[in-house]
Amino acid sequence: MAGRVQSSTDADAVSRIIEEWHRQRPDLDPSPIEVLGRLHRSFLLYQSRTSKSVAAVGLSLAGFDVLAALRRSGEPYRLTAGELAATSLISSAGVTLRLDRLEGDGLIVRERDVKDRRVVHCRLTPAGLELIDTLFAEYLENERSMLAGLKPKERVQLAALLQKLERSLGSTADSTAGVVTLVGW
Amino acid sequence: MAGRVQSSTDADAVSRIIEEWHRQRPDLDPSPIEVLGRLHRSFLLYQSRTSKSVAAVGLSLAGFDVLAALRRSGEPYRLTAGELAATSLISSAGVTLRLDRLEGDGLIVRERDVKDRRVVHCRLTPAGLELIDTLFAEYLENERSMLAGLKPKERVQLAALLQKLERSLGSTADSTAGVVTLVGW
DNA sequence: AAGTAGTTTCTCACCCGTAAGGAATTGCCA
DNA sequence: TGGCAATTCCTTACGGGTGAGAAACTACTT
């Protein structure tokens, strides 16, 4: 079964990339790619597999994300648009889009706050609750299978290191507003 | 400077998510999120920071990706559309789009193969070569700063574990064509 | 030599995301 | 009270991605 272009499923695409850079630009140290290149590729693979898994029931990953956030917030399964933006690390425009689609599918409803009429609450409908409740179990099962290649101990180590990485990526030297915006405030 | 919504930059958003799920669905084991949720969030932060870094010179991450692939392939800085799709883990439609834009900006040129007129070679123009050569050094420097929070030993460990993860995500039980397509063949 | 199968890229319709700015609403403070 | 700043969400214009399938071309088989 044979790899014509062997640059993908093979042992390690990132190793090859680093070797190539080393050959082409020996003046540079490409070692950061060792971590962040692999992060990038792992994420793309993860995203693709996860998308397919939730798409099976006609939902997008974006929609799943919102439904999951509402579900795990507990009764009455209700969050504001702003809260959803913050937890999902996306812009407010992105949230509006996600909610439009979910509302159109009858999985959530928007409710204007009576005290502060600027805020919009999003609440899971019974259909939305039922969908996310069945879907989330499958989702976890799928994720578990994606981690099958790692031993339990390795999973724990990886989790701890990714936690450190997220911290390193988030709190950073450059004190401008860039990161703040990014984080969804 | 205060965290109004503390669910983002704080100690650990993923830990909170897992706690919430544990409270809401004690029948499920949410531990895969410990790894993949952090992968997801780390990637979003990484992507956002990297985008801003290359956007400073009017380039997108997608364009940067193509230019970098061509540059590190060595002279004559030329790859086919298919090869680019494979190395970048995107669909052929995605490659077409990326090339359209880069060609419009004069950073690459498309050349039909004379022997096999189906294949399209993409070659860096002098402008493209110059751009990626100055940009890549900055890019690496930026990546280095993103990893500042990890000790050298931790970086090595993380790289090794991500390598295993990529392998686990790629080569999988389900033998359908899904993964193959994903990988860009 | 012709028909058919396979490949490589592109087109189309669509989903998802951002930045920038608008509109409604609230809260502060003179 | 009245005006102004801040907040909260939405709109617009755009970049970037996918899957399905068309189009162009090559290669195989008979």
Side-chain angles (χ1 to χ4, degrees), chain A:
Chain A
M1 310 325 42
R4 209 187 109 284
V5 175
Q6 63 187 141
S7 28
S8 297
T9 37
D10 255 3
D12 201 16
V14 169
S15 298
R16 269 193 304 281
I17 288 172
I18 289 175
E19 276 170 33
E20 288 186 14
W21 276 121
H22 200 64
R23 222 183 334 269
Q24 295 294 322
R25 294 290 307 268
D27 56 318
L28 298 175
D29 168 20
S31 63
I33 298 176
E34 203 90 52
V35 172
L36 296 174
R38 287 188 223 281
L39 175 77
H40 194 146
R41 292 180 64 92
S42 289
F43 175 79
L44 290 180
L45 290 164
Y46 156 73
Q47 185 181 43
S48 172
R49 288 193 56 174
T50 310
S51 293
K52 285 182 176 59
S53 135
V54 301
V57 297
L59 197 61
S60 74
L61 210 47
F64 178 84
D65 192 30
V66 171
L67 262 36
L70 291 171
R71 177 60 182 87
R72 71 172 184 262
S73 76
E75 298 214 63
Y77 308 124
R78 209 176 74 138
L79 293 171
T80 70
E83 287 166 340
L84 287 169
T87 64
S88 293
L89 256 43
I90 64 170
S91 65
S92 72
V95 170
T96 298
L97 268 185
R98 289 182 175 191
L99 297 183
D100 285 349
R101 283 184 271 265
L102 290 172
E103 194 173 33
D105 291 345
L107 300 172
I108 64 152
V109 288
R110 275 191 254 224
E111 299 168 340
R112 209 104 222 174
D113 188 294
V114 286
K115 305 289 284 289
D116 183 343
R117 299 186 37 72
R118 288 170 304 182
V119 337
V120 168
H121 297 277
C122 310
R123 192 168 44 79
L124 236 37
T125 63
L129 176 59
E130 190 181 331
L131 180 61
I132 189 60
D133 257 341
T134 61
L135 209 50
F136 186 63
E138 297 173 25
Y139 172 80
L140 277 182
E141 216 38 64
N142 190 32
E143 289 209 330
R144 227 179 301 282
S145 85
M146 295 190 217
L147 296 175
L150 281 77
K151 299 187 192 73
K153 204 169 187 175
E154 292 173 329
R155 279 173 233 169
V156 172
Q157 282 181 353
L158 181 51
L161 287 167
L162 284 174
Q163 187 176 20
K164 269 205 158 170
L165 177 63
E166 186 183 338
R167 226 176 155 62
S168 182
L169 288 167
S171 67
T172 175
D174 95 316
S175 56
T176 61
V179 177
V180 174
T181 306
L182 181 167
V183 168
W185 286 357

Side-chain angles (χ1 to χ4, degrees), chain B residues 60 62 90-91 93 97-98 101 115-118:
Chain B
S60 75
I90 63 171
S91 66
L97 266 186
R98 289 182 175 192
R101 283 184 270 265
K115 305 288 285 287
D116 183 341
R117 300 185 38 71
R118 286 169 304 182

